[in-house]
Amino acid sequence: MADRAVDRELAAAVRRMALREAAAHLGAAVETTGARVRRVPCPRCGAAVTDSASGGPAVRGPVLDQPLWGGEATRHSTVLVRVLACEEVTARSLLPAFRRGSEAGAQFQTRAVTAAELMHERGSALDFAEWVHLVDIAEARGSVRSPEFGVVRLLPTSSRAGPWAVGRGPGAVPESSFLFPHAVPGSSTMQSHYRDVLLRRVRQRMERSGRTSA
């Protein structure tokens, strides 16, 4: 009975996380000056920032800021989004950062960065269920406080390991993961649950929108 209660709590946390991402996907796009991305090292695969010209390690390390979209127009943006060096996220999942783009100095980080920070804090004792619950709690608050960046807002983003990720085989196209861009033991059932909740909510909203506009 205790195990079933834990499973229900875990499924509920995963559902909340999926609904947050769905809400971000369904939000209206807005015109902004864009944002910059700061890639931070991945504690799992060791991927760090690469120099776009040479493909090798960047001498400047993980604090290299790059325009996210819009080329030159975004270079002076004070909005900063922190992502893992190995992760790939969709443009739509980052919409909340753009909606708040008018706030000078706004700081954001992806869910994978939040998960990585918890991994660093808790170490090998952190199991999958506890990891999910801690990320869910952080996202429910909406932000974390960083000694370096101050208040950092959390983006409820799924991600996948990008083609540049350390150790990724040639031609591999991993499925999107709701928690972390690398394989997490024991997560397959909850990955499916997350995807079902996310797609169902998006479909419901689109159908409702279609009926309203008809």
Side-chain angles (χ1 to χ4, degrees):
M1 292 295 291
D3 289 343
R4 290 183 181 178
V6 170
D7 289 344
R8 285 197 297 271
E9 291 174 2
L10 178 58
V14 169
R15 182 176 187 277
R16 289 190 294 269
M17 293 167 71
L19 292 177
R20 291 187 194 110
E21 182 170 3
H25 283 201
L26 292 163
V30 293
E31 210 174 304
T32 73
T33 56
R36 290 174 296 126
V37 62
R38 176 171 295 181
R39 298 190 179 277
V40 299
C42 174
R44 175 66 63 83
C45 72
V49 177
T50 58
D51 184 332
S52 59
S54 66
V59 176
R60 286 174 286 182
V63 295
L64 179 63
D65 292 352
Q66 301 166 327
L68 192 54
W69 290 301
E72 190 63 34
T74 69
R75 291 184 186 277
H76 303 293
S77 172
T78 58
V79 179
L80 186 68
V81 181
R82 298 171 67 230
V83 303
L84 285 186
C86 61
E87 78 168 312
E88 192 172 39
V89 294
T90 66
R92 183 161 287 278
S93 68
L94 300 178
L95 278 176
F98 283 76
R99 291 192 201 104
R100 296 176 182 268
S102 60
E103 297 181 19
Q107 306 279 330
F108 296 85
Q109 67 186 35
T110 62
R111 179 181 287 159
V113 172
T114 304
E117 290 175 343
L118 288 166
M119 178 192 294
H120 178 72
E121 291 172 10
R122 301 297 178 113
S124 58
L126 185 65
D127 65 20
F128 171 64
E130 184 184 10
W131 203 8
V132 169
H133 284 299
L134 289 172
V135 172
D136 176 46
I137 290 169
E139 288 187 351
R141 288 198 302 263
S143 64
V144 294
R145 182 166 288 279
S146 162
E148 182 179 359
F149 301 106
V151 176
V152 180
R153 298 183 179 94
L154 306 185
L155 297 170
T157 52
S158 294
S159 63
R160 69 178 67 201
W164 52 86
V166 175
R168 177 173 166 181
V173 183
E175 288 190 355
S176 180
S177 169
F178 77 90
L179 183 65
F180 201 62
H182 298 289
V184 179
S187 67
S188 59
T189 299
M190 289 300 139
Q191 294 285 5
S192 297
H193 176 51
Y194 186 97
R195 190 162 48 250
D196 289 346
V197 173
L198 175 64
L199 294 177
R200 189 181 310 118
R201 176 53 61 93
V202 170
R203 185 168 57 249
Q204 288 171 346
R205 287 286 299 273
M206 291 180 69
E207 289 173 351
R208 190 178 308 148
S209 176
R211 289 194 299 269
T212 302
S213 60

